[in-house]
Amino acid sequence: MSDAPVPSASESAAESVERGRRAAAEGDWKTAVMAWVAGSNAGSLESANLVVTAVPPLKAQADAGDVDAMALLAGVMLDFFRESALPMVLTYATAAARAGHPSAQRTLGLMYRTGRGVEPDDRRAEDLFTAAAKAGDPFAAFNLAGMHITGDVVARDHDECLRLLRRAVAGGVTEAAAVLGDRLASVDEDAEALSWYVYAAERGHAGSMFAAGCRYRDGLGTVPDPVQAVRWFLAMLDKGDGDGLHEAIQLVRRGVTDEQIRTAGRLSGRPSEAETLIRTARPHGSR
């Protein structure tokens, strides 16, 4: 599922695949599917294929009355199957949501929010996200915060939005930290905004890397720090994003020393790119 956790820093996508295979061999299809979903979210096509093949045994458990299996099946089918599967998604999500299952409430809320398989209904979506968030579902808290941002809730509340985003971050939703940074920046809470951008950047969020780099460059929420600025601009390369390179080049041309660039390269894990930056960004040779 798109909102399922990716593998932890200590577990690669390949390890998720193997963990899922071990669970499947023991007949633990819920654990297997969750492992493969995590691997799929980390970019493994093999994991995505395995998720699909695991649906029949997971459906058997759901049909036998396993509410956890119902909720998981609904989420998997919503994300991995075609629109023709939406009536079945609705059936399982509704049954599990009525039983009070938070992730099913969130899945059903997402259906009402987006109009997938049902008539769009923001009020129903808000109620479902609220119930799931109160039960501790961090993705529901994030979705509900998004409704506060867009104004699609009964009573828009900036402070409640921030509380929901913090709960989502605490539950492991990295994207929520980036959005929290944006919300705080919008009301000039620049120091705290920077702290959340850095939090998200450290967890691989490319947009937050760029935001952190710009803020360290410009001294927003902190004193100007060219080392940290270049560090995060270079770190974006790990995500296949070269947008920070232009900013790094311009910053270097404004007076960053070679040693500062090399330090940034070490911090970002991009020492060779730092050397390239020194060679290419100096109009009159390195300093």
PDB file of all heavy atoms in Angstrom, residues 19-55:
ATOM      1  N   ARG A  19      12.027 -11.933   3.958  1.00  0.00           N
ATOM      2  CA  ARG A  19      11.229 -12.003   5.188  1.00  0.00           C
ATOM      3  C   ARG A  19       9.805 -12.414   4.865  1.00  0.00           C
ATOM      4  O   ARG A  19       9.189 -13.219   5.582  1.00  0.00           O
ATOM      5  CB  ARG A  19      11.257 -10.642   5.904  1.00  0.00           C
ATOM      6  CG  ARG A  19      10.481 -10.616   7.203  1.00  0.00           C
ATOM      7  CD  ARG A  19      10.881  -9.413   8.058  1.00  0.00           C
ATOM      8  NE  ARG A  19      10.615  -8.157   7.383  1.00  0.00           N
ATOM      9  CZ  ARG A  19       9.444  -7.518   7.416  1.00  0.00           C
ATOM     10  NH1 ARG A  19       8.428  -8.028   8.109  1.00  0.00           N
ATOM     11  NH2 ARG A  19       9.274  -6.359   6.810  1.00  0.00           N
ATOM     12  N   GLY A  20       9.273 -11.878   3.770  1.00  0.00           N
ATOM     13  CA  GLY A  20       7.939 -12.257   3.355  1.00  0.00           C
ATOM     14  C   GLY A  20       7.849 -13.714   2.943  1.00  0.00           C
ATOM     15  O   GLY A  20       6.876 -14.409   3.262  1.00  0.00           O
ATOM     16  N   ARG A  21       8.877 -14.190   2.239  1.00  0.00           N
ATOM     17  CA  ARG A  21       8.880 -15.599   1.825  1.00  0.00           C
ATOM     18  C   ARG A  21       8.892 -16.529   3.040  1.00  0.00           C
ATOM     19  O   ARG A  21       8.196 -17.558   3.056  1.00  0.00           O
ATOM     20  CB  ARG A  21      10.090 -15.876   0.935  1.00  0.00           C
ATOM     21  CG  ARG A  21       9.996 -15.268  -0.464  1.00  0.00           C
ATOM     22  CD  ARG A  21      11.148 -15.760  -1.328  1.00  0.00           C
ATOM     23  NE  ARG A  21      11.213 -15.105  -2.609  1.00  0.00           N
ATOM     24  CZ  ARG A  21      10.458 -15.418  -3.665  1.00  0.00           C
ATOM     25  NH1 ARG A  21       9.569 -16.402  -3.557  1.00  0.00           N
ATOM     26  NH2 ARG A  21      10.590 -14.771  -4.814  1.00  0.00           N
ATOM     27  N   ARG A  22       9.665 -16.171   4.049  1.00  0.00           N
ATOM     28  CA  ARG A  22       9.716 -17.010   5.252  1.00  0.00           C
ATOM     29  C   ARG A  22       8.360 -17.040   5.939  1.00  0.00           C
ATOM     30  O   ARG A  22       7.896 -18.097   6.384  1.00  0.00           O
ATOM     31  CB  ARG A  22      10.799 -16.505   6.204  1.00  0.00           C
ATOM     32  CG  ARG A  22      12.231 -16.736   5.710  1.00  0.00           C
ATOM     33  CD  ARG A  22      13.238 -16.505   6.827  1.00  0.00           C
ATOM     34  NE  ARG A  22      13.211 -15.144   7.327  1.00  0.00           N
ATOM     35  CZ  ARG A  22      13.939 -14.141   6.830  1.00  0.00           C
ATOM     36  NH1 ARG A  22      14.740 -14.379   5.790  1.00  0.00           N
ATOM     37  NH2 ARG A  22      13.872 -12.930   7.340  1.00  0.00           N
ATOM     38  N   ALA A  23       7.714 -15.875   6.021  1.00  0.00           N
ATOM     39  CA  ALA A  23       6.402 -15.822   6.662  1.00  0.00           C
ATOM     40  C   ALA A  23       5.375 -16.625   5.859  1.00  0.00           C
ATOM     41  O   ALA A  23       4.559 -17.360   6.434  1.00  0.00           O
ATOM     42  CB  ALA A  23       5.950 -14.367   6.798  1.00  0.00           C
ATOM     43  N   ALA A  24       5.433 -16.509   4.540  1.00  0.00           N
ATOM     44  CA  ALA A  24       4.489 -17.254   3.700  1.00  0.00           C
ATOM     45  C   ALA A  24       4.679 -18.755   3.855  1.00  0.00           C
ATOM     46  O   ALA A  24       3.699 -19.514   3.882  1.00  0.00           O
ATOM     47  CB  ALA A  24       4.666 -16.837   2.243  1.00  0.00           C
ATOM     48  N   ALA A  25       5.940 -19.183   3.971  1.00  0.00           N
ATOM     49  CA  ALA A  25       6.216 -20.615   4.136  1.00  0.00           C
ATOM     50  C   ALA A  25       5.615 -21.150   5.426  1.00  0.00           C
ATOM     51  O   ALA A  25       5.281 -22.342   5.527  1.00  0.00           O
ATOM     52  CB  ALA A  25       7.722 -20.853   4.113  1.00  0.00           C
ATOM     53  N   GLU A  26       5.446 -20.268   6.408  1.00  0.00           N
ATOM     54  CA  GLU A  26       4.855 -20.658   7.682  1.00  0.00           C
ATOM     55  C   GLU A  26       3.343 -20.434   7.706  1.00  0.00           C
ATOM     56  O   GLU A  26       2.698 -20.638   8.735  1.00  0.00           O
ATOM     57  CB  GLU A  26       5.512 -19.874   8.814  1.00  0.00           C
ATOM     58  CG  GLU A  26       7.010 -20.173   8.971  1.00  0.00           C
ATOM     59  CD  GLU A  26       7.682 -19.230   9.961  1.00  0.00           C
ATOM     60  OE1 GLU A  26       6.988 -18.334  10.489  1.00  0.00           O
ATOM     61  OE2 GLU A  26       8.894 -19.404  10.203  1.00  0.00           O
ATOM     62  N   GLY A  27       2.790 -19.980   6.580  1.00  0.00           N
ATOM     63  CA  GLY A  27       1.361 -19.732   6.505  1.00  0.00           C
ATOM     64  C   GLY A  27       0.912 -18.414   7.099  1.00  0.00           C
ATOM     65  O   GLY A  27      -0.285 -18.176   7.268  1.00  0.00           O
ATOM     66  N   ASP A  28       1.872 -17.546   7.409  1.00  0.00           N
ATOM     67  CA  ASP A  28       1.550 -16.237   7.986  1.00  0.00           C
ATOM     68  C   ASP A  28       1.448 -15.224   6.853  1.00  0.00           C
ATOM     69  O   ASP A  28       2.368 -14.465   6.582  1.00  0.00           O
ATOM     70  CB  ASP A  28       2.641 -15.833   8.993  1.00  0.00           C
ATOM     71  CG  ASP A  28       2.297 -14.546   9.725  1.00  0.00           C
ATOM     72  OD1 ASP A  28       1.282 -13.912   9.378  1.00  0.00           O
ATOM     73  OD2 ASP A  28       3.065 -14.179  10.646  1.00  0.00           O
ATOM     74  N   TRP A  29       0.303 -15.215   6.183  1.00  0.00           N
ATOM     75  CA  TRP A  29       0.146 -14.404   4.982  1.00  0.00           C
ATOM     76  C   TRP A  29       0.044 -12.914   5.286  1.00  0.00           C
ATOM     77  O   TRP A  29       0.446 -12.080   4.458  1.00  0.00           O
ATOM     78  CB  TRP A  29      -1.063 -14.882   4.195  1.00  0.00           C
ATOM     79  CG  TRP A  29      -0.794 -16.204   3.561  1.00  0.00           C
ATOM     80  CD1 TRP A  29      -1.224 -17.426   3.982  1.00  0.00           C
ATOM     81  CD2 TRP A  29       0.034 -16.445   2.417  1.00  0.00           C
ATOM     82  NE1 TRP A  29      -0.718 -18.421   3.175  1.00  0.00           N
ATOM     83  CE2 TRP A  29       0.052 -17.838   2.199  1.00  0.00           C
ATOM     84  CE3 TRP A  29       0.756 -15.629   1.563  1.00  0.00           C
ATOM     85  CZ2 TRP A  29       0.763 -18.425   1.156  1.00  0.00           C
ATOM     86  CZ3 TRP A  29       1.473 -16.197   0.515  1.00  0.00           C
ATOM     87  CH2 TRP A  29       1.463 -17.577   0.317  1.00  0.00           C
ATOM     88  N   LYS A  30      -0.447 -12.567   6.450  1.00  0.00           N
ATOM     89  CA  LYS A  30      -0.520 -11.130   6.776  1.00  0.00           C
ATOM     90  C   LYS A  30       0.876 -10.543   6.928  1.00  0.00           C
ATOM     91  O   LYS A  30       1.177  -9.472   6.373  1.00  0.00           O
ATOM     92  CB  LYS A  30      -1.346 -10.936   8.052  1.00  0.00           C
ATOM     93  CG  LYS A  30      -2.837 -11.172   7.838  1.00  0.00           C
ATOM     94  CD  LYS A  30      -3.627 -11.020   9.115  1.00  0.00           C
ATOM     95  CE  LYS A  30      -3.408 -12.201  10.053  1.00  0.00           C
ATOM     96  NZ  LYS A  30      -4.310 -12.164  11.216  1.00  0.00           N
ATOM     97  N   THR A  31       1.746 -11.229   7.647  1.00  0.00           N
ATOM     98  CA  THR A  31       3.123 -10.753   7.785  1.00  0.00           C
ATOM     99  C   THR A  31       3.827 -10.756   6.435  1.00  0.00           C
ATOM    100  O   THR A  31       4.577  -9.822   6.104  1.00  0.00           O
ATOM    101  CB  THR A  31       3.901 -11.631   8.775  1.00  0.00           C
ATOM    102  OG1 THR A  31       3.295 -11.515  10.068  1.00  0.00           O
ATOM    103  CG2 THR A  31       5.356 -11.204   8.879  1.00  0.00           C
ATOM    104  N   ALA A  32       3.576 -11.796   5.633  1.00  0.00           N
ATOM    105  CA  ALA A  32       4.205 -11.882   4.318  1.00  0.00           C
ATOM    106  C   ALA A  32       3.805 -10.696   3.448  1.00  0.00           C
ATOM    107  O   ALA A  32       4.653 -10.042   2.819  1.00  0.00           O
ATOM    108  CB  ALA A  32       3.823 -13.187   3.640  1.00  0.00           C
ATOM    109  N   VAL A  33       2.508 -10.409   3.418  1.00  0.00           N
ATOM    110  CA  VAL A  33       2.035  -9.311   2.574  1.00  0.00           C
ATOM    111  C   VAL A  33       2.595  -7.975   3.044  1.00  0.00           C
ATOM    112  O   VAL A  33       3.024  -7.140   2.228  1.00  0.00           O
ATOM    113  CB  VAL A  33       0.489  -9.288   2.551  1.00  0.00           C
ATOM    114  CG1 VAL A  33      -0.024  -7.996   1.915  1.00  0.00           C
ATOM    115  CG2 VAL A  33      -0.028 -10.492   1.777  1.00  0.00           C
ATOM    116  N   MET A  34       2.629  -7.749   4.353  1.00  0.00           N
ATOM    117  CA  MET A  34       3.174  -6.490   4.858  1.00  0.00           C
ATOM    118  C   MET A  34       4.646  -6.345   4.489  1.00  0.00           C
ATOM    119  O   MET A  34       5.108  -5.251   4.135  1.00  0.00           O
ATOM    120  CB  MET A  34       2.985  -6.405   6.373  1.00  0.00           C
ATOM    121  CG  MET A  34       1.554  -6.134   6.794  1.00  0.00           C
ATOM    122  SD  MET A  34       0.867  -4.613   6.088  1.00  0.00           S
ATOM    123  CE  MET A  34       1.930  -3.375   6.826  1.00  0.00           C
ATOM    124  N   ALA A  35       5.394  -7.432   4.553  1.00  0.00           N
ATOM    125  CA  ALA A  35       6.811  -7.376   4.163  1.00  0.00           C
ATOM    126  C   ALA A  35       6.943  -7.051   2.687  1.00  0.00           C
ATOM    127  O   ALA A  35       7.776  -6.228   2.284  1.00  0.00           O
ATOM    128  CB  ALA A  35       7.496  -8.699   4.487  1.00  0.00           C
ATOM    129  N   TRP A  36       6.122  -7.687   1.863  1.00  0.00           N
ATOM    130  CA  TRP A  36       6.221  -7.452   0.423  1.00  0.00           C
ATOM    131  C   TRP A  36       5.718  -6.065   0.030  1.00  0.00           C
ATOM    132  O   TRP A  36       6.234  -5.453  -0.897  1.00  0.00           O
ATOM    133  CB  TRP A  36       5.457  -8.544  -0.323  1.00  0.00           C
ATOM    134  CG  TRP A  36       6.125  -9.890  -0.206  1.00  0.00           C
ATOM    135  CD1 TRP A  36       7.467 -10.123  -0.020  1.00  0.00           C
ATOM    136  CD2 TRP A  36       5.500 -11.175  -0.245  1.00  0.00           C
ATOM    137  NE1 TRP A  36       7.708 -11.473   0.049  1.00  0.00           N
ATOM    138  CE2 TRP A  36       6.529 -12.153  -0.084  1.00  0.00           C
ATOM    139  CE3 TRP A  36       4.186 -11.608  -0.407  1.00  0.00           C
ATOM    140  CZ2 TRP A  36       6.262 -13.526  -0.082  1.00  0.00           C
ATOM    141  CZ3 TRP A  36       3.910 -12.971  -0.407  1.00  0.00           C
ATOM    142  CH2 TRP A  36       4.938 -13.925  -0.249  1.00  0.00           C
ATOM    143  N   VAL A  37       4.730  -5.564   0.745  1.00  0.00           N
ATOM    144  CA  VAL A  37       4.280  -4.195   0.499  1.00  0.00           C
ATOM    145  C   VAL A  37       5.418  -3.218   0.798  1.00  0.00           C
ATOM    146  O   VAL A  37       5.673  -2.274   0.046  1.00  0.00           O
ATOM    147  CB  VAL A  37       3.034  -3.865   1.348  1.00  0.00           C
ATOM    148  CG1 VAL A  37       2.781  -2.369   1.369  1.00  0.00           C
ATOM    149  CG2 VAL A  37       1.818  -4.587   0.790  1.00  0.00           C
ATOM    150  N   ALA A  38       6.119  -3.461   1.918  1.00  0.00           N
ATOM    151  CA  ALA A  38       7.248  -2.599   2.264  1.00  0.00           C
ATOM    152  C   ALA A  38       8.316  -2.660   1.180  1.00  0.00           C
ATOM    153  O   ALA A  38       8.875  -1.636   0.768  1.00  0.00           O
ATOM    154  CB  ALA A  38       7.840  -3.014   3.616  1.00  0.00           C
ATOM    155  N   GLY A  39       8.597  -3.858   0.689  1.00  0.00           N
ATOM    156  CA  GLY A  39       9.575  -3.989  -0.378  1.00  0.00           C
ATOM    157  C   GLY A  39       9.125  -3.300  -1.647  1.00  0.00           C
ATOM    158  O   GLY A  39       9.926  -2.668  -2.347  1.00  0.00           O
ATOM    159  N   SER A  40       7.842  -3.399  -1.963  1.00  0.00           N
ATOM    160  CA  SER A  40       7.307  -2.721  -3.140  1.00  0.00           C
ATOM    161  C   SER A  40       7.432  -1.212  -3.012  1.00  0.00           C
ATOM    162  O   SER A  40       7.824  -0.523  -3.957  1.00  0.00           O
ATOM    163  CB  SER A  40       5.835  -3.106  -3.339  1.00  0.00           C
ATOM    164  OG  SER A  40       5.261  -2.390  -4.399  1.00  0.00           O
ATOM    165  N   ASN A  41       7.121  -0.686  -1.836  1.00  0.00           N
ATOM    166  CA  ASN A  41       7.243   0.758  -1.623  1.00  0.00           C
ATOM    167  C   ASN A  41       8.685   1.224  -1.719  1.00  0.00           C
ATOM    168  O   ASN A  41       8.946   2.407  -1.986  1.00  0.00           O
ATOM    169  CB  ASN A  41       6.667   1.144  -0.261  1.00  0.00           C
ATOM    170  CG  ASN A  41       5.154   1.117  -0.263  1.00  0.00           C
ATOM    171  OD1 ASN A  41       4.519   1.066  -1.307  1.00  0.00           O
ATOM    172  ND2 ASN A  41       4.565   1.151   0.922  1.00  0.00           N
ATOM    173  N   ALA A  42       9.619   0.296  -1.497  1.00  0.00           N
ATOM    174  CA  ALA A  42      11.037   0.633  -1.633  1.00  0.00           C
ATOM    175  C   ALA A  42      11.532   0.439  -3.066  1.00  0.00           C
ATOM    176  O   ALA A  42      12.715   0.616  -3.336  1.00  0.00           O
ATOM    177  CB  ALA A  42      11.868  -0.226  -0.683  1.00  0.00           C
ATOM    178  N   GLY A  43      10.619   0.077  -3.976  1.00  0.00           N
ATOM    179  CA  GLY A  43      10.989   0.010  -5.382  1.00  0.00           C
ATOM    180  C   GLY A  43      11.197  -1.374  -5.949  1.00  0.00           C
ATOM    181  O   GLY A  43      11.689  -1.511  -7.074  1.00  0.00           O
ATOM    182  N   SER A  44      10.836  -2.429  -5.221  1.00  0.00           N
ATOM    183  CA  SER A  44      11.051  -3.791  -5.688  1.00  0.00           C
ATOM    184  C   SER A  44       9.856  -4.291  -6.487  1.00  0.00           C
ATOM    185  O   SER A  44       8.765  -4.471  -5.944  1.00  0.00           O
ATOM    186  CB  SER A  44      11.296  -4.730  -4.494  1.00  0.00           C
ATOM    187  OG  SER A  44      11.251  -6.081  -4.904  1.00  0.00           O
ATOM    188  N   LEU A  45      10.060  -4.526  -7.799  1.00  0.00           N
ATOM    189  CA  LEU A  45       8.998  -5.077  -8.631  1.00  0.00           C
ATOM    190  C   LEU A  45       8.662  -6.495  -8.200  1.00  0.00           C
ATOM    191  O   LEU A  45       7.491  -6.912  -8.236  1.00  0.00           O
ATOM    192  CB  LEU A  45       9.430  -5.060 -10.098  1.00  0.00           C
ATOM    193  CG  LEU A  45       8.422  -5.619 -11.110  1.00  0.00           C
ATOM    194  CD1 LEU A  45       7.110  -4.845 -11.049  1.00  0.00           C
ATOM    195  CD2 LEU A  45       9.012  -5.577 -12.520  1.00  0.00           C
ATOM    196  N   GLU A  46       9.676  -7.246  -7.773  1.00  0.00           N
ATOM    197  CA  GLU A  46       9.435  -8.608  -7.292  1.00  0.00           C
ATOM    198  C   GLU A  46       8.467  -8.590  -6.118  1.00  0.00           C
ATOM    199  O   GLU A  46       7.548  -9.424  -6.039  1.00  0.00           O
ATOM    200  CB  GLU A  46      10.746  -9.274  -6.891  1.00  0.00           C
ATOM    201  CG  GLU A  46      10.574 -10.708  -6.406  1.00  0.00           C
ATOM    202  CD  GLU A  46      11.881 -11.354  -5.968  1.00  0.00           C
ATOM    203  OE1 GLU A  46      12.900 -10.622  -5.845  1.00  0.00           O
ATOM    204  OE2 GLU A  46      11.883 -12.572  -5.730  1.00  0.00           O
ATOM    205  N   SER A  47       8.663  -7.650  -5.205  1.00  0.00           N
ATOM    206  CA  SER A  47       7.762  -7.543  -4.056  1.00  0.00           C
ATOM    207  C   SER A  47       6.336  -7.258  -4.503  1.00  0.00           C
ATOM    208  O   SER A  47       5.377  -7.846  -3.993  1.00  0.00           O
ATOM    209  CB  SER A  47       8.238  -6.436  -3.113  1.00  0.00           C
ATOM    210  OG  SER A  47       9.307  -6.863  -2.309  1.00  0.00           O
ATOM    211  N   ALA A  48       6.188  -6.344  -5.461  1.00  0.00           N
ATOM    212  CA  ALA A  48       4.854  -6.004  -5.944  1.00  0.00           C
ATOM    213  C   ALA A  48       4.162  -7.231  -6.538  1.00  0.00           C
ATOM    214  O   ALA A  48       2.969  -7.462  -6.297  1.00  0.00           O
ATOM    215  CB  ALA A  48       4.946  -4.890  -6.978  1.00  0.00           C
ATOM    216  N   ASN A  49       4.908  -8.014  -7.297  1.00  0.00           N
ATOM    217  CA  ASN A  49       4.328  -9.223  -7.880  1.00  0.00           C
ATOM    218  C   ASN A  49       3.933 -10.232  -6.814  1.00  0.00           C
ATOM    219  O   ASN A  49       2.890 -10.901  -6.912  1.00  0.00           O
ATOM    220  CB  ASN A  49       5.316  -9.859  -8.853  1.00  0.00           C
ATOM    221  CG  ASN A  49       5.499  -9.022 -10.113  1.00  0.00           C
ATOM    222  OD1 ASN A  49       4.591  -8.296 -10.521  1.00  0.00           O
ATOM    223  ND2 ASN A  49       6.665  -9.120 -10.723  1.00  0.00           N
ATOM    224  N   LEU A  50       4.753 -10.348  -5.777  1.00  0.00           N
ATOM    225  CA  LEU A  50       4.452 -11.277  -4.698  1.00  0.00           C
ATOM    226  C   LEU A  50       3.209 -10.856  -3.925  1.00  0.00           C
ATOM    227  O   LEU A  50       2.428 -11.703  -3.477  1.00  0.00           O
ATOM    228  CB  LEU A  50       5.653 -11.395  -3.761  1.00  0.00           C
ATOM    229  CG  LEU A  50       6.831 -12.190  -4.314  1.00  0.00           C
ATOM    230  CD1 LEU A  50       8.076 -11.975  -3.459  1.00  0.00           C
ATOM    231  CD2 LEU A  50       6.495 -13.678  -4.396  1.00  0.00           C
ATOM    232  N   VAL A  51       3.019  -9.555  -3.760  1.00  0.00           N
ATOM    233  CA  VAL A  51       1.810  -9.074  -3.083  1.00  0.00           C
ATOM    234  C   VAL A  51       0.570  -9.579  -3.815  1.00  0.00           C
ATOM    235  O   VAL A  51      -0.376 -10.092  -3.197  1.00  0.00           O
ATOM    236  CB  VAL A  51       1.799  -7.527  -3.016  1.00  0.00           C
ATOM    237  CG1 VAL A  51       0.431  -7.023  -2.556  1.00  0.00           C
ATOM    238  CG2 VAL A  51       2.864  -7.011  -2.062  1.00  0.00           C
ATOM    239  N   VAL A  52       0.590  -9.451  -5.131  1.00  0.00           N
ATOM    240  CA  VAL A  52      -0.577  -9.863  -5.923  1.00  0.00           C
ATOM    241  C   VAL A  52      -0.825 -11.361  -5.793  1.00  0.00           C
ATOM    242  O   VAL A  52      -1.976 -11.811  -5.648  1.00  0.00           O
ATOM    243  CB  VAL A  52      -0.386  -9.454  -7.393  1.00  0.00           C
ATOM    244  CG1 VAL A  52      -1.520 -10.003  -8.255  1.00  0.00           C
ATOM    245  CG2 VAL A  52      -0.315  -7.934  -7.519  1.00  0.00           C
ATOM    246  N   THR A  53       0.244 -12.161  -5.826  1.00  0.00           N
ATOM    247  CA  THR A  53       0.068 -13.609  -5.730  1.00  0.00           C
ATOM    248  C   THR A  53      -0.429 -14.037  -4.355  1.00  0.00           C
ATOM    249  O   THR A  53      -0.987 -15.126  -4.200  1.00  0.00           O
ATOM    250  CB  THR A  53       1.383 -14.349  -6.038  1.00  0.00           C
ATOM    251  OG1 THR A  53       2.361 -14.022  -5.037  1.00  0.00           O
ATOM    252  CG2 THR A  53       1.920 -13.984  -7.409  1.00  0.00           C
ATOM    253  N   ALA A  54      -0.221 -13.184  -3.334  1.00  0.00           N
ATOM    254  CA  ALA A  54      -0.623 -13.531  -1.967  1.00  0.00           C
ATOM    255  C   ALA A  54      -2.079 -13.201  -1.679  1.00  0.00           C
ATOM    256  O   ALA A  54      -2.592 -13.547  -0.602  1.00  0.00           O
ATOM    257  CB  ALA A  54       0.269 -12.805  -0.968  1.00  0.00           C
ATOM    258  N   VAL A  55      -2.765 -12.547  -2.617  1.00  0.00           N
ATOM    259  CA  VAL A  55      -4.140 -12.138  -2.355  1.00  0.00           C
ATOM    260  C   VAL A  55      -5.083 -13.318  -2.116  1.00  0.00           C
ATOM    261  O   VAL A  55      -5.908 -13.270  -1.183  1.00  0.00           O
ATOM    262  CB  VAL A  55      -4.653 -11.219  -3.483  1.00  0.00           C
ATOM    263  CG1 VAL A  55      -6.177 -11.091  -3.456  1.00  0.00           C
ATOM    264  CG2 VAL A  55      -4.010  -9.844  -3.343  1.00  0.00           C
TER     265      VAL A  55
END
